[in-house]
Amino acid sequence: MIGHVKRMCTRVVWPDANGSVIVGRNMDFHMDLLSNLWKLPRGLERTDGVNGDLTWTAKYGSVVATAFDLIACDGMNEEGFAGHILWLAESDYGTPGPTDTQLSQAVWLQYYLDNFATVAEAVEWTNQSQVAIAQLFDPTGHLVPTLHLAINDATGDSAIIEYTDGTPTVYHSRDYQVMTNSPTFDKQLELAKEITGLGGTQPLPGSTLASDRFARASYYVAHQEQPKTQLEAMAAMFSIIRNAAQPFRTPEPGKPDASQTLWQVVLDLTNRRYAFESTTRPNIVWVDFDDLSFREGTKVLKLDLVSRLALEGGLVGDASHQFKDVGELGHELLAAGVSALELVAKKQDEFAAVEKAVQDLVGTKK
């Protein structure tokens, strides 16, 4: 199974950085996700991406980092509530029933950003609704993405939501500061207790394994001096999250799609700042929410990081005023792309049956 895991990431929360809640996150993947930032206002109408039974109007505006401009995989809303999608190989979403509340993976994170100001609100809704997650076709070739969701807010609260038996398991505590990938979160907590400085006697590990990254991130966020400024706080978090990053490297034995860190973000949930650093286009930009309008009726805007993070003469620094409208045609094409991924995901069983029939036919040829 490990050989097929392509996305490996890390999220760290520092809930008491001298009055600020600071979050860091790595995005690790085996190929460029062509990530951009999008500004999404209040008042957008959305559906669940499954059967259309769940519809909503965005209560809060947000800034999100996307994969291929189709799926929000990281982001923060105007209340300082943030969410982060990471890979979890053990995920099992089950088969939702006809009356179950459902969300497509394409809008899973966005639903939470649109509707909640705090982790407590999001956890309460998750537990009450027992929301089912419908898997999405992955355009990079991995047919069924297996994901889990981390959420955190401006009070320093944190939760991790995982599906291993078809229903949500919610780990909710301000103490749950770190999240990586396999194994499941409860097992990660136990493994970390074996490390010196975290309760055990084993030396701090240095490999790219998720459990080792979990231990390093847990250790370093627990051993921080109090910063004197927001600048120091965000710089310290960049240092922590870089230590959990994965270098570019040749494929490892048994891991032909070994991930490397493509980008990392650091969020100040208290002061509402979102900083983005690319490893493939090595510039840092940041967005201050006070400089953006999330008012209902304002346009959906895109910050083009794919073409504008050039090393020389490219976008760098405060990019709050650099978001642009992609026009109606652009929005229509993106909506069609998401719909296509959702449609293919719904037909997975049919595709699997066709694939098996073809393989059986080829296998019987003389």
Side-chain angles (χ1 to χ4, degrees):
M1 186 66 176
I2 295 298
H4 296 289
V5 177
K6 300 179 181 179
R7 182 191 307 218
M8 301 176 73
C9 313
T10 306
R11 181 223 63 167
V12 184
V13 182
W14 188 6
D16 56 351
N18 195 26
S20 296
V21 179
I22 306 295
V23 180
R25 181 262 168 83
N26 286 335
M27 169 56 81
D28 306 339
F29 205 71
H30 71 289
M31 63 178 294
D32 195 339
L33 294 173
L34 304 178
S35 296
N36 293 301
L37 297 185
W38 290 78
K39 189 275 292 187
L40 308 171
R42 299 171 221 131
L44 293 179
E45 302 290 338
R46 302 191 198 276
T47 65
D48 55 32
V50 186
N51 300 314
D53 295 331
L54 177 61
T55 62
W56 69 94
T57 301
K59 185 177 180 181
Y60 304 109
S62 59
V63 169
V64 299
T66 59
F68 307 110
D69 287 332
L70 299 176
I71 305 163
C73 47
D74 196 273
M76 175 170 65
N77 73 18
E78 57 186 313
E79 295 296 315
F81 173 92
H84 323 273
I85 293 286
L86 284 73
W87 197 272
L88 179 66
E90 292 86 349
S91 296
D92 178 1
Y93 302 104
T95 302
T99 61
D100 289 347
T101 300
Q102 297 187 57
L103 287 171
S104 162
Q105 285 178 331
V107 294
W108 186 11
L109 170 58
Q110 195 62 57
Y111 181 88
Y112 282 73
L113 295 176
D114 286 350
N115 287 287
F116 304 120
T118 67
V119 168
E121 293 174 10
V123 167
E124 181 180 15
W125 178 82
T126 303
N127 287 330
Q128 287 182 351
S129 69
Q130 288 293 289
V131 59
I133 302 302
Q135 287 178 286
L136 188 70
F137 176 73
D138 182 347
T140 70
H142 197 293
L143 185 60
V144 282
T146 53
L147 312 171
H148 54 169
L149 173 66
I151 52 177
N152 24 254
D153 66 29
T155 73
D157 202 3
S158 172
I160 292 93
I161 304 170
E162 297 181 344
Y163 289 76
T164 56
D165 63 357
T167 59
T169 298
V170 180
Y171 303 94
H172 179 200
S173 172
R174 182 185 175 93
D175 296 331
Y176 295 156
Q177 296 174 252
V178 177
M179 170 178 162
T180 53
N181 314 106
S182 299
T184 53
F185 185 72
D186 55 337
K187 293 182 175 64
Q188 289 280 21
L189 291 174
E190 291 304 312
L191 288 171
K193 293 177 183 178
E194 300 174 2
I195 306 302
T196 299
L198 299 175
T201 59
Q202 297 295 318
L204 195 63
S207 85
T208 59
L209 286 174
S211 55
D212 288 358
R213 289 182 283 112
F214 188 99
R216 290 201 303 279
S218 297
Y219 178 87
Y220 287 118
V221 76
H223 292 79
Q224 286 298 310
E225 295 183 354
Q226 278 296 311
K228 298 181 178 63
T229 64
Q230 186 206 41
L231 176 65
E232 288 184 10
M234 296 189 73
M237 180 54 76
F238 265 118
S239 177
I240 294 169
I241 207 67
R242 286 170 183 149
N243 191 274
Q246 300 203 63
F248 285 44
R249 60 197 185 278
T250 57
E252 300 173 27
K255 301 179 182 179
D257 294 315
S259 300
Q260 57 267 341
T261 297
L262 300 178
W263 48 261
Q264 45 245 339
V265 292
V266 170
L267 296 67
D268 184 333
L269 305 188
T270 305
N271 298 295
R272 304 188 311 157
R273 172 174 283 179
Y274 192 99
F276 181 102
E277 178 184 43
S278 173
T279 61
T280 59
R281 303 167 183 85
N283 280 358
I284 296 179
V285 296
W286 61 84
V287 178
D288 285 315
F289 277 43
D290 288 342
D291 293 332
L292 297 175
S293 174
F294 296 98
R295 181 174 49 83
E296 183 173 351
T298 57
K299 292 184 177 181
V300 173
L301 301 177
K302 173 182 173 180
L303 180 61
D304 181 356
L305 302 180
V306 173
S307 63
R308 299 191 64 197
L309 285 183
L311 187 59
E312 298 179 5
L315 189 66
V316 66
D318 185 356
S320 305
H321 300 290
Q322 300 293 326
F323 286 78
K324 305 295 182 184
D325 183 11
V326 299
E328 288 301 318
L329 179 59
H331 291 300
E332 291 173 2
L333 289 173
L334 293 175
V338 174
S339 297
L341 296 182
E342 292 168 345
L343 176 63
V344 172
K346 294 173 187 176
K347 301 292 185 180
Q348 287 177 35
D349 291 343
E350 297 176 28
F351 293 151
V354 171
E355 181 181 20
K356 183 178 184 304
V358 171
Q359 290 175 343
D360 290 345
L361 179 62
V362 172
T364 59
K365 289 181 68 176
K366 302 296 184 181

